[in-house]
């Protein structure tokens, strides 16, 4: 008999899966008793199938294992080390029909379901985690915005209290009499006693990057630069440098960063202190 050809025929696998007829099963049992190589192949196939089942899912419970081995013990008895033609003296388990197939299938299905559920809930967890992270980021941004609003409110509130408690004069400056910007409108609020000056650029054209608006306080000693005016901050109060004495205020266009003396041909607005 060609044992290797018989082993490679696939009958042993079908035997373990319970797919052979009664006559074919008896033939496999008979050959396993007579040829140790066939018995060894059956043992190896059985171990491989159990190992595959463990790899593809949750290992069978102890109850399932006991059912499998009780079925094996009730159906097959073979030698541990039989001679080619001898009858085995001791029993060894060999499956005859399909002792472990239903349990293996059930374990595999359970493994597939468990794996699918694991992937599903892992995806849901990742989605919820991302949503939670985004929510925390949004809350952080809102908190920063709220802090900025509170800070701006506190500044405006302090300015209001300062104006109520102080003695501010309004110096209205317009560009109607000059060629640079006929529609320019700027207000200066000056508290001479406190030497505090605020400017509101109600209407000033935007300048290119190489130029700035500069505010001048004109007193007995001539014009003194007291700060740069941001034309983009409409209808807001920008605090300038302190001034104790001035008869007028003016704004000119100067090179970026300002000048030590005003460029009179670029005078934009001028206002006298009443």
């Amino acid at each position: 008999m060609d044992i290797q050809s018989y082993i490679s025929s696939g009958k042993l696998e079908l035997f373990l899966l319970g797919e052979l007829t009664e006559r074919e099963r008896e033939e496999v049992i008979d050959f396993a008793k007579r040829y140790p190589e066939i018995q060894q192949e059956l043992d190896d196939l059985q171990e491989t199938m159990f190992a595959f089942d463990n790899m593809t899912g949750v290992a069978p419970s102890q109850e399932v294992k006991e059912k499998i081995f009780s079925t094996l013990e009730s159906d097959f008895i073979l030698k541990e080390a039989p001679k080619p033609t001898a009858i085995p003296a001791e029993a060894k388990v060999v499956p005859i029909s399909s002792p472990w197939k239903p349990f293996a299938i059930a374990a595999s299905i359970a493994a597939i379901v468990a794996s699918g559920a694991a992937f599903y809930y892992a995806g849901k967890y990742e989605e919820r985690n991302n949503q939670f992270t985004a929510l925390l980021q949004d809350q952080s941004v809102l908190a920063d915005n709220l802090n900025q609003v509170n800070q701006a409110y506190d500044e405006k509130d302090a300015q209001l209290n300062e104006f109520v408690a102080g003695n501010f004069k309004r110096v209205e400056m317009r560009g109607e009499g000059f060629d640079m910007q006929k529609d320019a409108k700027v207000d200066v609020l000056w508290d001479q006693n406190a030497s505090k000056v605020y400017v509101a650029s109600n209407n000033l054209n935007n300048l290119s990057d190489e130029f700035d608006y500069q505010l001048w306080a004109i007193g007995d000693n001539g014009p003194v630069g007291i700060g740069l005016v941001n034309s983009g901050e409409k209808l807001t109060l920008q605090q300038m440098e302190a001034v104790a004495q001035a008869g007028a205020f003016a704004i000119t266009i100067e090179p970026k960063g300002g000048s030590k003396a005003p460029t009179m041909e670029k005078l934009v607005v001028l206002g006298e202190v009443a």
Side-chain angles (χ1 to χ4, degrees):
M1 175 182 177
D2 189 344
I3 296 176
Q4 291 304 320
S5 297
Y6 188 80
I7 290 174
S8 62
S9 66
K11 282 189 176 183
L12 300 184
E13 289 84 350
L14 295 174
F15 172 78
L16 290 174
L17 293 173
E19 300 295 338
L20 297 180
T21 64
E22 185 66 28
R23 181 175 173 281
E24 290 172 329
R25 287 198 299 271
E26 291 176 358
E27 178 187 272
V28 172
I29 294 172
D30 180 58
F31 285 161
K33 291 178 182 179
R34 294 165 57 190
Y35 302 106
E37 296 92 337
I38 295 177
Q39 175 61 55
Q40 185 61 48
E41 184 68 18
L42 283 172
D43 293 341
D44 293 343
L45 286 173
Q46 181 175 288
E47 291 179 5
T48 300
M49 288 180 176
F50 275 117
F52 175 77
D53 180 58
N54 288 333
M55 281 177 18
T56 55
V58 181
S61 66
Q62 187 60 36
E63 181 182 356
V64 172
K65 290 181 179 179
E66 290 176 359
K67 288 182 180 180
I68 293 173
F69 288 112
S70 65
T71 305
L72 296 176
E73 291 174 356
S74 65
D75 286 343
F76 304 98
I77 298 178
L78 293 179
K79 265 191 173 182
E80 270 189 10
K83 295 181 181 180
T85 58
I87 301 298
E90 296 184 2
K92 191 161 186 180
V93 174
V94 177
I96 187 170
S97 55
S98 56
W100 68 274
K101 182 181 177 182
F103 305 108
I105 293 174
S108 299
I109 292 175
I112 293 172
V113 172
S115 299
F119 280 116
Y120 173 79
Y121 286 110
K124 286 296 183 183
Y125 172 80
E126 184 67 20
E127 179 183 347
R128 292 293 182 268
N129 187 55
N130 291 339
Q131 291 176 347
F132 180 68
T133 302
L135 180 60
L136 289 180
Q137 292 174 345
D138 290 343
Q139 288 181 337
S140 177
V141 172
L142 289 175
D144 290 341
N145 292 340
L146 181 60
N147 289 335
Q148 293 176 6
V149 170
N150 288 336
Q151 184 178 357
Y153 173 80
D154 291 340
E155 292 176 356
K156 297 302 180 185
D157 187 57
Q159 283 183 354
L160 178 61
N161 291 333
E162 188 177 0
F163 286 126
V164 171
N167 183 23
F168 282 88
K169 294 180 179 180
R170 179 190 177 197
V171 180
E172 185 178 4
M173 300 190 294
R174 295 180 178 272
E176 296 171 349
F178 307 100
D179 296 331
M180 295 302 297
Q181 296 180 35
K182 299 291 186 180
D183 58 348
K185 294 179 182 180
V186 178
D187 287 333
V188 168
L189 298 175
W190 177 40
D191 185 341
Q192 186 174 7
N193 295 332
S195 299
K196 290 184 177 181
V197 179
Y198 289 89
V199 62
S201 57
N202 303 327
N203 188 26
L204 283 176
N205 295 339
N206 294 328
L207 299 177
S208 57
D209 293 339
E210 62 266 25
F211 295 103
D212 277 324
Y213 288 109
Q214 189 168 2
L215 179 64
W216 305 89
I218 304 173
D220 294 340
N221 297 323
V224 177
I226 58 173
L228 302 179
V229 179
N230 185 355
S231 60
E233 295 185 12
K234 305 292 184 182
L235 304 177
T236 61
L237 294 176
Q238 304 170 51
Q239 187 168 7
M240 312 306 286
E241 297 176 16
V243 173
Q245 190 275 328
F249 292 92
I251 290 179
T252 59
I253 297 175
E254 303 296 336
K256 190 71 175 178
S259 303
K260 292 183 178 180
T263 306
M264 297 309 297
E265 61 269 22
K266 292 186 177 181
L267 180 62
V268 179
V269 289
L270 176 67
E272 295 183 0
V273 177

